[in-house]
Amino acid sequence: MSKKLRLSAVGAALALGLVACGGSGAGGGSGSSGNDSNPSDTTIGVAMPTQTSERWIADGNNVKKQLEDKGYKVDLQYANDDIPTQSQQIDQMITKGEKLLIVAAIDGTALSSQLQAAADAGIKVISYDRLIRDTPNVDFYVSFDNYKVGVAQATALLAGLGVTDKDGKATGTKGPFNIEVFAGSLDDNNAHFFFDGAMDTLKQYIDDGTLVIKSGQNQIEQVAILRWQQETAQKRMEDLLTQSYNDGTTVQGVLSPYDGLSRGIITALQNAGYGPTTSGGAKPMPIVTGQDAEIASVKLINDGVQSSTIFKDTRLLAEQAVTAAVAFLKGDEPEANDTKTYDNGQKVVPSFLLPVVTVYKDNIQKELIDSGYYTADEVAKGQSD
């Protein structure tokens, strides 16, 4: 992961811009003013959900290194997708007197008591990528525009099927195309934004018969995958093929919100005789979307197996989390670019949202290799050095 800790030119430029304009408002907000003047005496707690996804490993490492580069001490903890473990880790961070918390929650509704304790101790809390819900004690949120992630995934599915171009402009192709849809874990607030953005985009094509969800499963409660588990997605795809495609028809597109799920879905399809070409009797591989540009899936895209992924440059997300943290520790308020969208059930949380990029085979070089996120050798191998 060391190469991902190097800032790209665009990332560095964004970081400088954010530092220049963040937290400079008159009458700065409450916080541990003066801590930043001696960061070596300041420990920041960073709670990440799991190490089973390379994405979260990269996030944790990026945040840790960037904070340490500014002189802070960092207590980075992973909870292995276990809610009690994460709750205990955060309790311990508060007990040890850590000055600020950056939290990527496993379950966005399960940390109310911990965050109340943090508030009582005067500890600011930054919700990282997954919005923490049902508590007023979230001070800031850093993420990507998650509704637009869903729009981008649906657009990539439509473009892969030839229904629209990559910009979402209709081509006149009418289908019908058989598709199935997947969603993430219901306890992850982002999963709902992804699904809503995608289904809003697909709706007109479902309504006019261009797209057919043959299983009839089109509600998030029907299609959600708990904890974003690859094996669960594989099993659901196997069940869909057995139950809805046992009449000689084929599935032609799958909306998948995350690369790990995509790989499980692809495994089920390959086991059922689908492949990139029809040689050897294989059924054509459906258009399969994804998210997070995990290296194993980038290789599948490069090899023509998976169709696309959504690239969320976690180097930039880490930069923004660090920028917000420094502002709070100076006693200032970090700059938000969205103060309306992210209502967590108790308050609208000030947020900073970053843009996303759809990656297809033809722009892997530009978006992932030229930016320094991966090397060409890593893409070819499907494994990070």
Side-chain angles (χ1 to χ4, degrees):
M1 290 297 169
S2 59
K3 65 176 179 52
K4 294 184 182 58
L5 306 179
R6 299 193 302 267
L7 299 180
S8 65
V10 63
L14 177 58
L16 289 171
L18 293 172
V19 169
C21 61
S24 58
S30 62
S32 301
S33 179
N35 281 335
D36 191 63
S37 63
N38 192 9
S40 62
D41 293 334
T42 302
T43 301
I44 297 173
V46 179
M48 290 284 157
T50 184
Q51 288 176 296
T52 61
S53 165
E54 67 180 54
R55 180 264 159 99
W56 291 114
I57 296 172
D59 278 277
N61 287 342
N62 280 321
V63 172
K64 183 174 187 289
K65 182 178 187 300
Q66 291 181 41
L67 286 169
E68 288 177 341
D69 285 347
K70 292 182 178 297
Y72 296 99
K73 296 176 183 177
V74 179
D75 179 9
L76 172 61
Q77 299 287 335
Y78 288 91
N80 298 317
D81 272 331
D82 184 69
I83 296 168
T85 296
Q86 186 169 64
S87 298
Q88 183 181 43
Q89 289 171 343
I90 294 171
D91 281 332
Q92 291 172 347
M93 291 173 181
I94 295 167
T95 300
K96 288 187 290 187
E98 297 177 7
K99 301 301 183 184
L100 182 139
L101 301 178
I102 298 173
V103 180
I106 297 169
D107 182 336
T109 65
L111 296 173
S112 295
S113 63
Q114 283 73 29
L115 268 58
Q116 183 62 57
D120 293 343
I123 300 170
K124 295 291 188 180
V125 175
I126 297 172
S127 184
Y128 186 95
D129 200 41
R130 294 175 171 179
L131 183 64
I132 300 171
R133 295 190 54 81
D134 301 334
T135 173
N137 302 309
V138 181
D139 299 290
F140 202 72
Y141 179 45
V142 294
S143 189
F144 297 87
D145 191 324
N146 295 309
Y147 183 88
K148 288 185 179 178
V149 169
V151 171
Q153 289 173 334
T155 302
L157 177 64
L158 292 166
L161 293 169
V163 175
T164 71
D165 64 16
K166 290 179 180 179
D167 295 323
K169 183 178 180 181
T171 63
T173 300
K174 294 299 183 184
F177 298 102
N178 293 325
I179 69 164
E180 297 297 336
V181 298
F182 284 69
S185 193
L186 290 176
D187 55 14
D188 182 346
N189 193 65
N190 288 355
H192 299 266
F193 279 94
F194 301 151
F195 190 74
D196 289 346
M199 295 305 287
D200 288 351
T201 304
L202 298 178
K203 183 178 186 302
Q204 64 174 306
Y205 300 102
I206 294 171
D207 289 348
D208 70 13
T210 302
L211 303 178
V212 178
I213 301 177
K214 200 162 184 290
S215 68
Q217 298 178 18
N218 60 7
Q219 301 299 309
I220 191 169
E221 294 80 8
Q222 297 172 302
V223 305
I225 303 298
L226 182 65
R227 300 284 182 270
W228 303 86
Q229 289 295 313
Q230 179 172 329
E231 297 80 5
T232 308
Q234 179 178 337
K235 176 63 166 58
R236 178 169 182 261
M237 190 72 237
E238 290 168 348
D239 291 343
L240 289 171
L241 292 172
T242 300
Q243 296 165 8
S244 300
Y245 296 88
N246 57 2
D247 57 359
T249 57
T250 59
V251 59
Q252 292 153 296
V254 182
L255 177 77
S256 169
Y258 161 57
D259 286 342
L261 304 189
S262 306
R263 294 194 297 275
I265 290 163
I266 288 168
T267 298
L269 290 164
Q270 290 173 329
N271 290 343
Y274 289 81
T277 70
T278 57
S279 61
K283 293 168 277 192
M285 179 61 70
I287 302 301
V288 180
T289 64
Q291 180 179 189
D292 284 344
E294 292 193 343
I295 188 60
S297 286
V298 174
K299 182 181 189 302
L300 290 175
I301 294 168
N302 200 45
D303 292 344
V305 181
Q306 185 171 321
S307 178
S308 64
T309 189
I310 304 301
F311 176 42
K312 297 159 53 173
D313 194 335
T314 56
R315 296 168 298 186
L316 303 185
L317 185 61
E319 287 169 10
Q320 184 51 41
V322 170
T323 298
V326 170
F328 277 134
L329 291 169
K330 287 181 175 179
D332 295 330
E333 291 292 330
E335 180 194 26
N337 63 7
D338 187 313
T339 57
K340 297 180 180 179
T341 304
Y342 287 89
D343 187 335
N344 77 347
Q346 291 287 321
K347 64 186 283 189
V348 176
V349 183
S351 306
F352 196 100
L353 306 181
L354 292 161
V356 298
V357 175
T358 306
V359 172
Y360 303 91
K361 182 175 181 177
D362 63 8
N363 65 345
I364 288 174
Q365 179 72 42
K366 175 186 175 184
E367 301 296 345
L368 299 179
I369 297 174
D370 291 350
S371 72
Y373 199 75
Y374 293 127
T375 67
D377 183 59
E378 288 173 321
V379 171
K381 293 187 303 184
Q383 184 175 351
S384 295
D385 293 335

